[in-house]
Amino acid sequence: MNYFSKIIGTGSAFPERIMTNHDFENFVETSDEWIRTRTGIQTRRIADHSKGEFTSTLALKAARNAIEMANIPADQIELIIIGTVTPDSLMPTTANLIQAALGATKAFSFDLQSACSGFLYGLSIADQYIRTGMVKTALVIGAETLSTLINWQDRGTCVLFGDGAGAALLTRTTETNHSILGTKLYSDGSKGDILKIPHGGSKYPHYLPEYQHKLHSIHMQGSEVFKLAVRNMIDASLAVLSDHGLTPEDVDYFFFHQANMRILDMCMKTLKVPKEKTWINLDKYGNTSAATLPVCLDEAWRAKVIKPGDLILMATFGGGVTWASGLIRL
Ligand code: UT7
């Protein structure tokens, strides 16, 4: 018997607080006009610690929404993966916190660190476990509170990111016409310097004299990341399509990582994707890293813009550097 994975539920969650471009004008040299025209971002959500908004609580809300849509008991879930670079703590994992809170007692769970590619990496891993028959039902989450890793004095990065979480619930199917058709995952550590969080790990722990708090935050060579994100998301999209003998014209709907509107425009132009075939929420949420793709999927699904049988293509690019694509027949 050949097994495949089918998405049966999606969910998303955001902190309450909305931060506008104008808010940044109060503490860095920037403007609403620069941010809007250079990135397409207008607002982003920022977690409020005092209201109990952490990566785990956002992830839990998104997971509960996905489980409610799928209408299955949490104890049927056998695997929980969270893509995040902002876990609540290094131990226990945030995935374990979710496992306990959901009462998903049969699930094994782990956090996965591949920056903005975290959701597609997680989806691919869960898909492999389901295809081999080891797991029947899996929960994949992308959740971040990047606001905790922002250098609020660096105008080149602080305006770009936001907090949020998205989730997808997968289950085993034998029908290929409603399943994840394929995923492609890529890494290139030799370019890791262009988007990194240099301090705060075992090389520069907080107690060393060399440790600098301002290096325990996101550092990015924006234009290098920009060029690579465009090229690699396009290449990854074409690669997963070519694996299945398909072209961009065959795709009903596209989800690209939400980092910069100009990146999205270049991907759409090269792949000849009309704007009405792609979901854009970058203006509202900014770049929420691993959360962007599952949130887009959830929003488009709930808005009934995508429907069962549609061919969906996803592509992402993230720090470190990592990138990925996925092809799904809904
Ligand atoms: O999630 C992973 C994927 N992440 C991304 O894909 C992000 C990719 N990169 C980008 O989106 C863009 O490179 C940025 C939005 C980060 C920057 O846009 P850019 O058009 O590449 O600008 P730049 O870095 O070349 O900088 C141009 C100028 C510089 O000033 P000078 O040196 O020309 O005087 C920057 O200091 O824009 C300045 N600048 C700003 N000015 C006002 C950079 N950030 C800001 C800002 N407000 N927030």
Side-chain angles (χ1 to χ4, degrees), residues 117 120-121 182-187 228-244 246 248 251 254-256 267 270-271 293 312-318 322-327:
S117 306
L120 272 182
Y121 267 55
T183 46
K184 301 285 260 189
L185 309 183
Y186 305 89
S187 305
L228 216 51
V230 172
R231 193 184 326 135
N232 290 356
M233 283 205 287
I234 292 169
D235 287 352
S237 300
L238 293 172
V240 76
L241 283 168
S242 138
D243 279 357
H244 294 85
L246 296 166
V251 177
F254 294 79
F255 296 99
F256 296 111
C267 290
T270 309
L271 296 171
L293 287 180
I312 304 294
L313 189 136
M314 291 187 164
T316 190
F317 181 85
T322 58
W323 65 104
S325 59
L327 197 59

Coordinates of all heavy atoms in Angstrom, one line a residue, residues 117 120-121 182-187 228-244 246 248 251 254-256 267 270-271 293 312-318 322-327:
S117 N 12.5 28.9 6.4 CA 12.2 27.7 5.7 C 11.6 26.6 6.7 O 11.3 25.5 6.3 CB 13.4 27.1 5.0 OG 14.0 28.0 4.2
L120 N 8.3 24.6 5.7 CA 8.4 23.6 4.6 C 9.4 22.5 4.9 O 9.1 21.4 4.5 CB 8.9 24.3 3.3 CG 7.8 24.9 2.4 CD1 8.3 25.5 1.2 CD2 6.7 23.8 2.0
Y121 N 10.4 22.8 5.7 CA 11.3 21.7 6.2 C 10.4 20.7 7.0 O 10.5 19.5 6.9 CB 12.4 22.2 7.0 CG 13.7 22.5 6.3 CD1 13.7 23.3 5.2 CD2 14.9 22.0 6.7 CE1 14.9 23.6 4.5 CE2 16.1 22.3 6.1 CZ 16.1 23.1 5.0 OH 17.3 23.3 4.3
G182 N 5.2 16.7 -3.5 CA 6.6 16.6 -3.3 C 7.1 17.9 -2.7 O 6.5 18.9 -2.7
T183 N 8.4 17.8 -2.1 CA 9.0 18.9 -1.5 C 10.5 18.9 -1.9 O 11.0 17.8 -2.2 CB 8.9 18.9 0.0 OG1 9.3 17.5 0.5 CG2 7.5 19.2 0.6
K184 N 11.1 20.0 -2.0 CA 12.5 20.2 -2.2 C 13.1 21.0 -1.1 O 12.6 22.1 -0.9 CB 12.8 20.9 -3.6 CG 12.2 20.2 -4.8 CD 12.9 19.0 -5.2 CE 13.9 19.1 -6.3 NZ 14.4 17.8 -6.7
L185 N 14.2 20.6 -0.5 CA 14.8 21.3 0.6 C 16.3 21.6 0.2 O 16.9 20.7 -0.3 CB 14.8 20.5 1.9 CG 13.4 19.9 2.4 CD1 13.6 19.2 3.7 CD2 12.4 21.0 2.4
Y186 N 16.7 22.8 0.5 CA 18.1 23.2 0.2 C 18.8 23.9 1.3 O 18.1 24.7 2.0 CB 18.1 24.1 -1.0 CG 17.4 23.6 -2.3 CD1 16.1 23.8 -2.4 CD2 18.1 22.9 -3.2 CE1 15.4 23.4 -3.6 CE2 17.4 22.4 -4.4 CZ 16.1 22.6 -4.5 OH 15.4 22.2 -5.7
S187 N 20.1 23.8 1.4 CA 20.9 24.6 2.4 C 22.2 25.0 1.8 O 22.7 24.3 0.9 CB 21.3 23.7 3.6 OG 20.1 23.2 4.2
L228 N 19.6 36.5 -3.5 CA 19.6 35.0 -3.4 C 18.1 34.5 -3.2 O 17.8 33.5 -3.7 CB 20.4 34.7 -2.2 CG 21.3 33.4 -2.3 CD1 22.1 33.3 -3.5 CD2 22.2 33.3 -1.1
A229 N 17.3 35.3 -2.4 CA 15.9 34.9 -2.2 C 15.2 34.8 -3.5 O 14.5 33.8 -3.7 CB 15.3 35.8 -1.2
V230 N 15.3 35.7 -4.3 CA 14.6 35.7 -5.6 C 15.1 34.5 -6.4 O 14.3 33.7 -6.9 CB 14.9 37.0 -6.4 CG1 14.3 36.9 -7.8 CG2 14.3 38.2 -5.7
R231 N 16.4 34.4 -6.6 CA 16.9 33.3 -7.5 C 16.5 31.9 -7.0 O 16.1 31.1 -7.7 CB 18.4 33.5 -7.6 CG 19.0 32.6 -8.8 CD 20.5 32.7 -8.9 NE 21.1 33.9 -8.5 CZ 22.1 34.0 -7.7 NH1 22.7 33.0 -7.2 NH2 22.6 35.2 -7.5
N232 N 16.7 31.8 -5.7 CA 16.6 30.4 -5.1 C 15.1 30.0 -5.0 O 14.7 28.9 -5.2 CB 17.2 30.3 -3.7 CG 18.8 30.3 -3.9 OD1 19.3 30.3 -5.0 ND2 19.4 30.3 -2.8
M233 N 14.2 31.0 -4.7 CA 12.8 30.6 -4.7 C 12.3 30.3 -6.1 O 11.5 29.4 -6.2 CB 11.9 31.8 -4.1 CG 12.1 31.8 -2.6 SD 10.7 32.6 -1.8 CE 10.9 34.3 -2.2
I234 N 12.8 31.0 -7.1 CA 12.4 30.7 -8.5 C 12.9 29.3 -8.8 O 12.2 28.4 -9.3 CB 12.9 31.7 -9.4 CG1 12.1 33.1 -9.2 CG2 12.7 31.3 -10.9 CD1 12.7 34.3 -9.9
D235 N 14.2 29.1 -8.6 CA 14.8 27.7 -8.9 C 14.1 26.6 -8.2 O 13.8 25.6 -8.8 CB 16.3 27.7 -8.6 CG 17.1 28.6 -9.5 OD1 16.6 29.1 -10.5 OD2 18.3 28.8 -9.2
A236 N 13.8 26.8 -6.9 CA 13.2 25.7 -6.1 C 11.8 25.4 -6.6 O 11.3 24.3 -6.7 CB 13.2 26.1 -4.7
S237 N 11.1 26.5 -7.1 CA 9.7 26.3 -7.6 C 9.8 25.5 -8.9 O 9.0 24.6 -9.0 CB 9.1 27.7 -7.9 OG 9.0 28.5 -6.7
L238 N 10.7 25.9 -9.8 CA 10.8 25.2 -11.0 C 11.2 23.8 -10.8 O 10.7 22.8 -11.5 CB 11.7 25.9 -12.0 CG 11.2 27.3 -12.5 CD1 12.3 28.1 -13.2 CD2 9.9 27.2 -13.3
A239 N 12.1 23.5 -9.9 CA 12.6 22.2 -9.6 C 11.5 21.2 -9.2 O 11.4 20.1 -9.7 CB 13.7 22.2 -8.6
V240 N 10.7 21.7 -8.2 CA 9.6 20.8 -7.7 C 8.6 20.6 -8.8 O 8.0 19.4 -8.9 CB 9.0 21.3 -6.4 CG1 8.1 22.5 -6.6 CG2 8.3 20.2 -5.6
L241 N 8.3 21.6 -9.6 CA 7.4 21.4 -10.7 C 7.9 20.4 -11.7 O 7.2 19.5 -12.2 CB 7.1 22.7 -11.4 CG 6.1 23.7 -10.7 CD1 6.2 25.1 -11.3 CD2 4.7 23.1 -10.7
S242 N 9.2 20.6 -12.1 CA 9.8 19.7 -13.1 C 9.8 18.2 -12.6 O 9.7 17.3 -13.4 CB 11.2 20.3 -13.5 OG 12.1 19.3 -13.6
D243 N 10.0 18.0 -11.3 CA 10.0 16.6 -10.8 C 8.6 15.9 -11.2 O 8.6 14.7 -11.2 CB 10.0 16.6 -9.3 CG 11.4 16.8 -8.7 OD1 12.4 16.8 -9.6 OD2 11.6 16.9 -7.5
H244 N 7.6 16.7 -11.3 CA 6.3 16.2 -11.6 C 5.8 16.5 -13.0 O 4.6 16.3 -13.3 CB 5.2 16.7 -10.6 CG 5.6 16.2 -9.2 ND1 6.5 16.8 -8.4 CD2 5.2 15.1 -8.6 CE1 6.6 16.2 -7.3 NE2 5.8 15.1 -7.3
L246 N 5.5 19.3 -14.5 CA 4.5 20.4 -14.5 C 5.3 21.7 -14.8 O 6.5 21.8 -14.6 CB 3.8 20.4 -13.2 CG 2.9 19.2 -12.9 CD1 2.5 19.2 -11.4 CD2 1.7 19.2 -13.8
P248 N 4.7 26.3 -14.3 CA 3.9 27.3 -13.5 C 2.5 27.4 -14.0 O 1.6 27.7 -13.2 CB 4.7 28.5 -13.6 CG 6.1 28.1 -13.9 CD 6.0 26.9 -14.7
V251 N -0.2 25.5 -12.2 CA -0.5 25.7 -10.7 C -1.7 26.6 -10.6 O -1.8 27.6 -11.3 CB 0.8 26.4 -10.1 CG1 0.5 26.7 -8.7 CG2 2.0 25.5 -10.2
F254 N -0.2 30.2 -5.7 CA 1.2 30.2 -5.3 C 1.2 30.9 -3.9 O 0.6 31.9 -3.7 CB 2.0 31.1 -6.2 CG 2.1 30.5 -7.6 CD1 1.1 30.6 -8.6 CD2 3.3 29.9 -8.0 CE1 1.2 30.1 -9.8 CE2 3.5 29.3 -9.3 CZ 2.4 29.4 -10.2
F255 N 2.1 30.3 -3.1 CA 2.4 31.0 -1.8 C 3.9 31.2 -1.7 O 4.6 30.2 -1.7 CB 1.9 30.1 -0.6 CG 0.5 29.9 -0.5 CD1 -0.1 28.8 -1.0 CD2 -0.4 30.9 0.0 CE1 -1.5 28.6 -1.0 CE2 -1.7 30.7 0.1 CZ -2.3 29.6 -0.4
F256 N 4.3 32.4 -1.7 CA 5.8 32.7 -1.6 C 6.0 33.3 -0.2 O 5.2 34.0 0.4 CB 6.2 33.7 -2.6 CG 6.1 33.2 -4.0 CD1 5.1 33.8 -4.9 CD2 6.9 32.2 -4.5 CE1 5.0 33.3 -6.2 CE2 6.8 31.8 -5.8 CZ 5.9 32.3 -6.7
C267 N 9.5 37.3 -8.3 CA 9.2 35.9 -8.4 C 8.0 35.7 -9.4 O 8.0 34.9 -10.3 CB 8.9 35.2 -7.1 SG 10.3 35.1 -6.0
T270 N 8.9 36.5 -13.1 CA 9.7 35.5 -13.7 C 8.9 34.2 -14.0 O 9.1 33.6 -15.1 CB 11.0 35.1 -12.9 OG1 11.6 36.4 -12.5 CG2 12.0 34.2 -13.6
L271 N 8.1 33.9 -13.0 CA 7.3 32.6 -13.2 C 6.0 32.9 -13.9 O 5.2 32.0 -14.1 CB 7.0 32.0 -11.8 CG 8.3 31.5 -11.0 CD1 7.9 31.1 -9.6 CD2 8.9 30.3 -11.7
L293 N 4.3 31.0 5.6 CA 3.6 30.1 4.7 C 2.4 29.4 5.3 O 1.3 29.5 4.6 CB 4.6 29.0 4.1 CG 5.6 29.6 3.1 CD1 6.5 28.5 2.6 CD2 4.9 30.3 1.9
I312 N -1.2 23.6 -5.6 CA -0.6 24.7 -4.8 C 0.9 24.6 -4.8 O 1.4 23.5 -4.6 CB -1.1 24.6 -3.3 CG1 -2.6 24.5 -3.1 CG2 -0.4 25.6 -2.4 CD1 -3.3 25.8 -3.5
L313 N 1.5 25.7 -5.1 CA 3.0 25.7 -5.0 C 3.4 26.7 -3.9 O 2.9 27.8 -3.8 CB 3.6 26.1 -6.3 CG 5.1 25.9 -6.4 CD1 5.6 25.3 -7.7 CD2 5.9 27.2 -6.1
M314 N 4.4 26.2 -3.1 CA 4.9 27.0 -2.0 C 6.4 27.2 -2.2 O 7.1 26.2 -2.5 CB 4.7 26.4 -0.6 CG 3.3 26.3 -0.2 SD 3.3 25.7 1.5 CE 1.6 26.2 2.0
A315 N 7.0 28.3 -1.9 CA 8.4 28.5 -1.9 C 8.9 29.5 -0.8 O 8.2 30.4 -0.5 CB 8.9 29.0 -3.3
T316 N 10.1 29.2 -0.3 CA 10.6 30.0 0.8 C 12.1 30.2 0.7 O 12.8 29.4 0.1 CB 10.1 29.5 2.1 OG1 10.4 30.4 3.2 CG2 10.9 28.2 2.5
F317 N 12.6 31.2 1.5 CA 14.0 31.4 1.6 C 14.3 31.9 3.0 O 13.5 32.8 3.5 CB 14.5 32.4 0.6 CG 16.0 32.6 0.7 CD1 16.9 31.8 0.0 CD2 16.5 33.7 1.4 CE1 18.3 32.0 0.1 CE2 17.9 33.8 1.5 CZ 18.8 33.0 0.9
G318 N 15.3 31.4 3.7 CA 15.6 31.9 5.0 C 17.0 31.9 5.4 O 17.9 31.5 4.6
T322 N 18.8 28.8 4.0 CA 18.0 27.6 3.7 C 17.0 28.1 2.7 O 16.6 29.3 2.6 CB 17.3 27.1 4.9 OG1 16.5 28.2 5.4 CG2 18.2 26.6 6.0
W323 N 16.5 27.2 1.8 CA 15.3 27.5 1.0 C 14.6 26.2 0.7 O 15.2 25.1 0.8 CB 15.7 28.3 -0.2 CG 16.6 27.7 -1.3 CD1 16.3 27.2 -2.5 CD2 18.1 27.6 -1.2 NE1 17.4 26.8 -3.2 CE2 18.5 27.0 -2.4 CE3 19.0 27.8 -0.2 CZ2 19.8 26.7 -2.6 CZ3 20.4 27.5 -0.4 CH2 20.7 27.0 -1.7
A324 N 13.4 26.3 0.2 CA 12.6 25.1 0.0 C 11.4 25.4 -0.9 O 11.0 26.6 -1.1 CB 12.1 24.6 1.3
S325 N 10.8 24.3 -1.5 CA 9.6 24.5 -2.2 C 8.7 23.2 -1.9 O 9.2 22.2 -1.5 CB 9.8 24.6 -3.7 OG 10.5 23.5 -4.2
G326 N 7.4 23.4 -2.2 CA 6.5 22.2 -2.0 C 5.4 22.3 -2.9 O 4.9 23.4 -3.3
L327 N 4.9 21.1 -3.4 CA 3.8 21.1 -4.4 C 2.7 20.2 -3.7 O 3.0 19.1 -3.3 CB 4.3 20.4 -5.6 CG 3.5 20.6 -6.9 CD1 3.3 22.0 -7.3 CD2 4.2 19.8 -8.1

